[in-house]
Amino acid sequence: MGNQASDYHRGEMDIHEQAATYDAFGKMTKWGSLAIAVLVTFFTLLFCTPAGFIASAGVAVVMTALGIVFLREKAAPAH
């Protein structure tokens, strides 16, 4: 019973699944935030201003394109 604590060795556990889950959560948060921001902007312009559908959709498309450009994964530097 008392010997179980010595069975743990720091740094020997496989953490690939935890790392993949953490990475996926970060990506979902990033892209989900962009989607929510675009939808809130679109509906705010559509219903709360005289901009109309075309202008609201145009702003949403531009915002989506800029969000994709700025939020995409950067290439890792080669070593």
Side-chain angles (χ1 to χ4, degrees):
M1 258 204 256
N3 195 16
Q4 291 178 351
S6 65
D7 292 341
Y8 174 75
H9 300 285
R10 182 181 172 101
E12 291 183 0
M13 189 170 119
D14 183 22
I15 61 166
H16 288 97
E17 289 184 24
Q18 288 89 346
T21 300
Y22 181 81
D23 187 47
F25 179 79
K27 288 179 182 179
M28 286 189 297
T29 302
K30 178 173 62 172
W31 295 111
S33 297
L34 175 63
I36 291 170
V38 168
L39 285 172
V40 167
T41 302
F42 172 74
F43 287 122
T44 300
L45 290 174
L46 183 62
F47 294 120
C48 299
T49 67
F53 178 79
I54 300 297
S56 301
V59 169
V61 167
V62 170
M63 191 173 175
T64 301
L66 288 173
I68 290 170
V69 168
F70 288 117
L71 293 179
R72 70 176 180 228
E73 295 289 322
K74 310 304 188 266
H79 289 280

